[in-house]
């Protein structure tokens, strides 16, 4: 099954509007700027049809995974922050504190329809984000599985 031409046009506009690069280029740029290799999850909530990213003004890596074969389209965003201490500004007192299998402390946020898991691993801060309107894989257990695959 292939994406429809109108989907391709919308995706191209989305990529341009967000100043996205192909994911590999964004990862390479981030690694060069940070002077270290980034670890990414081996498990994703779906098989992406598109992978793109950017290095933000703050120097963080934002990866956007998209699957357009189903409606609604599925999005999953991974932000990698360096240094790992940058995650402190993303943690709130309302977060549910959980522990990953390797003992890593993580912070789960349930805001409206968006679920987020924030944690430190391998010298970087990670923020995993997905909309529960799109998939049940973005519940706490699903996000923990993704985090544990790093």
């Amino acid at each position: 099954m292939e994406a429809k031409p109108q989907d391709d046009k919308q995706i191209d506009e989305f990529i341009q509007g967000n100043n996205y690069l192909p994911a590999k280029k964004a990862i390479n740029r981030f690694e060069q700027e940070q002077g270290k290799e980034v670890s990414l999850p081996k498990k994703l909530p779906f098989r992406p049809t598109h992978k793109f990213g950017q290095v933000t003004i703050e120097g963080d890596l934002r990866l956007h995974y998209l699957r357009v074969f189903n409606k609604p389209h599925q999005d999953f965003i991974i932000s990698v922050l360096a240094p790992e201490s940058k995650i402190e500004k993303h943690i709130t007192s309302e977060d549910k504190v959980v522990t990953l299998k390797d003992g890593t402390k993580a912070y789960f946020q349930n805001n409206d329809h968006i679920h987020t898991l924030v944690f430190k691993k391998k010298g970087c801060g990670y923020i995993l984000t997905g909309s529960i309107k799109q998939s049940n894989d973005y519940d706490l257990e699903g996000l923990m599985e993704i985090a544990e695959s790093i």
Side-chain angles (χ1 to χ4, degrees), residues 109-150:
Q109 300 167 357
N110 178 1
N111 301 326
D112 296 322
H113 301 291
I114 304 292
H115 284 178
T116 304
L117 191 68
V118 180
F119 57 96
K120 298 176 186 177
K121 209 168 208 187
K122 301 190 178 193
C124 292
Y126 289 84
I127 304 172
L128 309 179
T129 306
S131 169
I132 56 168
K133 279 186 160 183
Q134 295 176 345
S135 172
N136 292 331
D137 293 331
Y138 303 128
D139 62 6
L140 175 58
E141 292 75 25
L143 290 175
M144 285 178 69
E145 273 184 49
I146 294 165
E148 289 166 345
S149 75
I150 294 175

Side-chain angles (χ1 to χ4, degrees), residues 58-81:
E58 295 85 22
D60 302 321
L61 175 64
R62 179 181 311 210
L63 296 173
H64 195 136
Y65 297 92
L66 179 64
R67 181 169 177 84
V68 295
F69 291 155
N70 50 356
K71 297 282 183 178
H73 296 330
Q74 285 184 276
D75 290 278
F76 183 65
I77 297 174
I78 300 172
S79 296
V80 183
L81 316 179

Side-chain angles (χ1 to χ4, degrees), residues 2-124:
E2 292 184 26
K4 297 180 179 119
Q6 75 223 31
D7 286 339
D8 288 340
K9 185 174 186 241
Q10 286 177 330
I11 291 166
D12 288 343
E13 289 171 0
F14 178 73
I15 290 168
Q16 289 175 350
N18 286 290
N19 295 318
Y20 277 138
L21 305 167
K24 285 187 192 283
K25 283 187 180 179
I27 293 165
N28 289 339
R29 182 177 291 171
F30 178 79
E31 289 177 340
Q32 286 178 339
E33 289 178 9
Q34 295 301 321
K36 64 178 169 181
E37 199 171 309
V38 67
S39 296
L40 294 172
K42 291 172 183 60
K43 179 186 184 341
L44 291 173
F46 53 83
R47 182 175 289 148
T49 57
H50 298 78
K51 302 175 191 176
F52 29 80
Q54 64 183 185
V55 177
T56 67
I57 294 168
E58 295 85 22
D60 302 321
L61 175 64
R62 179 181 311 210
L63 296 173
H64 195 136
Y65 297 92
L66 179 64
R67 181 169 177 84
V68 295
F69 291 155
N70 50 356
K71 297 282 183 178
H73 296 330
Q74 285 184 276
D75 290 278
F76 183 65
I77 297 174
I78 300 172
S79 296
V80 183
L81 316 179
E84 67 182 17
S85 61
K86 283 185 171 181
I87 71 159
E88 305 304 329
K89 68 180 182 181
H90 297 278
I91 297 170
T92 70
S93 59
E94 288 88 46
D95 296 349
K96 178 177 182 172
V97 180
V98 296
T99 304
L100 304 179
K101 288 178 184 172
D102 67 1
T104 300
K105 189 182 286 189
Y107 304 86
F108 179 69
Q109 300 167 357
N110 178 1
N111 301 326
D112 296 322
H113 301 291
I114 304 292
H115 284 178
T116 304
L117 191 68
V118 180
F119 57 96
K120 298 176 186 177
K121 209 168 208 187
K122 301 190 178 193
C124 292

